[in-house]
Amino acid sequence: MKKQILGLLILVVFGCKPNMTDEYFLQKIVENLNEISSVSYFEETISSAPGDTIAFTEAKRVYHKVIVNSLDSLVGASSFTFLSEDTTKMTDFYDGQVRGKVNWAKQTVKVDSFVNNPHPFRLVYYPFYTKINSILKYALTTEDDIQVNFEDYGDSLYFRLKIIDKHVYFHINPITIKNEYIPEDEISQFDIWFNKKDLLPYRMESKWHHVTLFQSVYSPNLNFSKAATMHAREYFPSYFSLQYFDRDATRAEGQVGKKQILIGEIAPDWVLQDVDYNIVKLSDLKSKVLLIQFTGIGCGPCHLSIPFLKSLAKKYEDQDFELLSLETWSNNLEGLKRYQQKNDLNFKFLKSSPEVTASYGVPSVPVFFVIDENRVIREVITGYSKGETDKEILETNSKSIVTSCV
């Protein structure tokens, strides 16, 4: 086992397991977490761009009630999420069988029973304590190439896990994601802080190549003894109408709807800010051909598209063409500016608004709109695949530029 001692810091590298002292602490923490039968807590979540500490979204604070369920092999617990300012108003739930979203304004509850779920996991909230328990068990037992740091901060213990050359999410089990958006030298990193008095976690930072996620819990109320039960129906009125999520219909609607409805229509006008707080209006742009990308910091395909978009802006810089990228996930201009500088973007980078994003019918990103000199939408290209989407955009863009010059 190769070790490097740095003061109180013990660094264990190259696929080695924690030393006996570290392993003892981790096992004690796992034992403690295994004893939890139910827990309620406030949780604050913030996201930032890779390598940055400035949040690109406003902090999201909610209240969770969680019941551990060892029979649930996909999630490990049922969870019920409430507004932080009104802990009687449930917004989301997962009961081990279905997930649901409660809309108090529309008086509806939309339920997903996971029929035709295309993933080997469920897209639900994975409870803070359950997820960390899974991370620690993995660190203790895996044969993967990992690096482990453990440090004593006096009243807290700090633990870091780096997984080398893998893009890993932790549900009840580690899920390794492989696709063209993930770099070969990807490192998945999880930094966790524990209160030394009770050996319970209170903060975690999860880092991948495209995003950093900060999670903190407050005012936890833990139950280690008696079993608890909860039913989602107890937390919304009986007169709320039930709607059922149809995954096939939603997928077909998303694939066909935008092109059929928007192509040939006048592009909705907008007034937005760039990263220097300058006002930019669609109606003021003079170029005859526009390529507008709706993007999101933290979106893997969006990040992968940056080199191509930079080359596109360079290729057509002397022609009547302009490329603009509209950020839909972040509302922090300072964070956007740092992202623009870090990636050396050579095209306009603007902060979109929910109203503008909705007016273009954008449910997910990236989406590209080719707009002519009359501000008519000529093409809509959804998603990004390196090479394939590049070719599609180049061909569409070239035709539009030639047409505008006739």
Side-chain angles (χ1 to χ4, degrees), residues 40-47 55 57-65 80-92 125 202 213-221 331:
S40 61
Y41 52 89
F42 290 91
E43 182 176 39
E44 184 174 273
T45 305
I46 303 172
S47 300
T57 57
E58 292 182 358
K60 180 181 179 182
R61 189 179 175 99
V62 296
Y63 180 67
H64 296 293
K65 292 184 177 181
F80 306 82
T81 303
F82 301 79
L83 297 174
S84 62
E85 63 271 22
D86 184 350
T87 57
T88 66
K89 276 196 171 183
M90 184 172 64
T91 59
D92 301 87
Y125 169 71
Y202 62 87
L213 181 66
F214 304 86
Q215 295 172 270
S216 300
V217 298
Y218 306 92
S219 305
N221 184 9
N331 48 27

Side-chain angles (χ1 to χ4, degrees), residues 50-257:
D52 202 349
T53 56
I54 293 182
F56 63 66
T57 57
E58 292 182 358
K60 180 181 179 182
R61 189 179 175 99
V62 296
Y63 180 67
H64 296 293
K65 292 184 177 181
V66 175
I67 299 176
V68 176
N69 179 7
S70 59
L71 299 179
D72 187 335
S73 61
L74 293 175
V75 181
S78 300
S79 62
F80 306 82
T81 303
F82 301 79
L83 297 174
S84 62
E85 63 271 22
D86 184 350
T87 57
T88 66
K89 276 196 171 183
M90 184 172 64
T91 59
D92 301 87
F93 65 87
Y94 168 72
D95 65 4
Q97 300 296 322
V98 302
R99 65 171 178 170
K101 181 170 287 293
V102 183
N103 189 316
W104 288 84
K106 295 182 179 180
Q107 298 184 351
T108 60
V109 181
K110 193 165 188 176
V111 176
D112 178 11
S113 59
F114 303 102
V115 174
N116 298 325
N117 180 21
H119 307 294
F121 49 85
R122 290 180 170 175
L123 291 174
V124 299
Y125 169 71
Y126 284 82
F128 183 79
Y129 294 97
T130 307
K131 183 188 296 185
I132 290 177
N133 199 6
S134 299
I135 292 172
L136 300 184
K137 289 178 179 178
Y138 167 87
L140 286 166
T141 60
T142 188
E143 296 298 329
D144 290 343
D145 188 6
I146 65 171
Q147 297 177 3
V148 176
N149 298 7
F150 212 102
E151 188 168 357
D152 189 336
Y153 279 161
D155 58 350
S156 298
L157 293 173
Y158 165 80
F159 172 75
R160 169 177 290 174
L161 169 67
K162 283 187 177 182
I163 306 171
I164 310 302
D165 297 336
K166 283 190 176 183
H167 188 91
V168 180
Y169 293 105
F170 281 91
H171 298 179
I172 188 65
N173 296 306
I175 303 293
T176 301
I177 307 297
K178 296 181 180 180
N179 57 43
E180 63 176 310
Y181 314 122
I182 298 171
E184 293 183 359
D185 58 350
E186 170 78 323
I187 292 178
S188 301
Q189 179 173 318
F190 304 90
D191 299 349
I192 308 171
W193 286 260
F194 301 89
N195 188 319
K196 193 184 290 185
K197 288 183 179 180
D198 54 19
L199 292 183
L200 290 173
Y202 62 87
R203 184 185 180 190
M204 178 165 69
E205 295 181 12
S206 307
K207 302 177 183 179
W208 301 274
H209 75 279
H210 64 300
V211 69
T212 300
L213 181 66
F214 304 86
Q215 295 172 270
S216 300
V217 298
Y218 306 92
S219 305
N221 184 9
L222 297 109
N223 173 22
F224 292 94
S225 53
K226 58 183 179 180
T229 58
M230 283 184 66
H231 302 283
R233 284 187 173 273
E234 298 173 357
Y235 292 94
F236 59 84
S238 59
Y239 58 81
F240 276 25
S241 62
L242 287 177
Q243 301 175 349
Y244 294 92
F245 183 79
D246 187 333
R247 188 167 279 102
D248 292 335
T250 301
R251 186 183 298 112
E253 184 179 292
Q255 291 173 343
V256 178

Side-chain angles (χ1 to χ4, degrees), residues 308-318 321 323 346:
F308 166 71
L309 294 179
K310 290 169 65 175
S311 69
L312 189 70
K314 180 69 175 176
K315 177 182 177 69
Y316 292 108
E317 64 181 349
D318 296 326
F321 166 81
L323 166 61
N346 58 345

Side-chain angles (χ1 to χ4, degrees), residues 371-388:
I371 299 174
D372 69 15
E373 60 181 317
N374 298 314
R375 297 306 177 247
V376 174
I377 297 174
R378 290 303 177 191
E379 187 58 90
V380 180
I381 300 169
T382 60
Y384 182 79
S385 178
K386 187 175 182 180
E388 181 180 339

Side-chain angles (χ1 to χ4, degrees), residues 48-53 208-212 297 303 306 310 334-346 349:
S48 74
D52 202 349
T53 56
W208 301 274
H209 75 279
H210 64 300
V211 69
T212 300
I297 296 179
H303 192 71
I306 289 177
K310 290 169 65 175
E334 290 302 314
L336 294 186
K337 185 170 184 176
R338 289 167 65 127
Y339 185 79
Q340 182 192 49
Q341 293 171 342
K342 182 176 180 180
N343 290 282
D344 194 26
L345 303 185
N346 58 345
F349 190 38

